[in-house]
Amino acid sequence: MKKRTMVLMTVVGLIFLLGGLLLYGLDSHELVPVPRPDLLVLGTSLIGIFLIVSGACELFCKKTREMEIEEKDERNVAISNAAMASGFKVMSVAVAVSVVILIFTGYLQAVPCFILIGAYFIGQIVFIARLCQLNKKM
């Protein structure tokens, strides 16, 4: 299952990268109705590269039997989950502070602001829902 996901991620990244380069090669990125067509090629190419690198690194790294056992060890899973929880807390505060700073300095317009605030609240709602679910389960 994980291998399929990584292959899919690599293929989608390749599609994004080739789509961005094709737009640039055909000089049709100026015709796309977006506010900044010059960033369209750069954005799609970067997204494609990030997806390709993420998928390919996981696909080409061969794990030994010892590494697989170590990865599934309960202690290592608990450590990884604790690290992710700390990262989530720091990221939540950093995103909230960044949005407030960008709003008050005038760099953040209305639509991107609402998108970032919505993404922030979705993360918080998922956290609360999962917390309630785990409290009932355990």
Side-chain angles (χ1 to χ4, degrees), residues 100-133:
V100 168
I101 289 171
L102 289 171
I103 288 171
F104 287 120
T105 56
Y107 287 109
L108 194 59
Q109 302 300 321
V111 174
C113 176
F114 288 130
I115 290 172
L116 288 173
I117 290 172
Y120 177 78
F121 280 126
I122 288 171
Q124 297 301 319
I125 289 169
V126 168
F127 167 70
I128 292 169
R130 186 73 175 143
L131 183 66
C132 291
Q133 180 187 26

Side-chain angles (χ1 to χ4, degrees), residues 6-54:
M6 294 303 142
V7 169
L8 181 66
M9 186 185 303
T10 306
V11 169
V12 169
L14 192 59
I15 291 170
F16 266 93
L17 178 63
L18 293 177
L21 295 176
L22 186 66
L23 277 174
Y24 183 72
L26 296 176
D27 204 30
S28 60
H29 64 281
E30 299 289 334
L31 303 175
V32 180
V34 292
R36 296 278 309 269
D38 56 326
L39 294 179
L40 185 65
V41 174
L42 180 66
T44 55
S45 299
L46 279 176
I47 290 170
I49 290 170
F50 290 152
L51 289 173
I52 289 170
V53 169
S54 298

Side-chain angles (χ1 to χ4, degrees), residues 88-106:
F88 175 76
K89 289 176 186 175
V90 170
M91 184 184 63
S92 295
V93 172
V95 167
V97 170
S98 298
V99 168
V100 168
I101 289 171
L102 289 171
I103 288 171
F104 287 120
T105 56

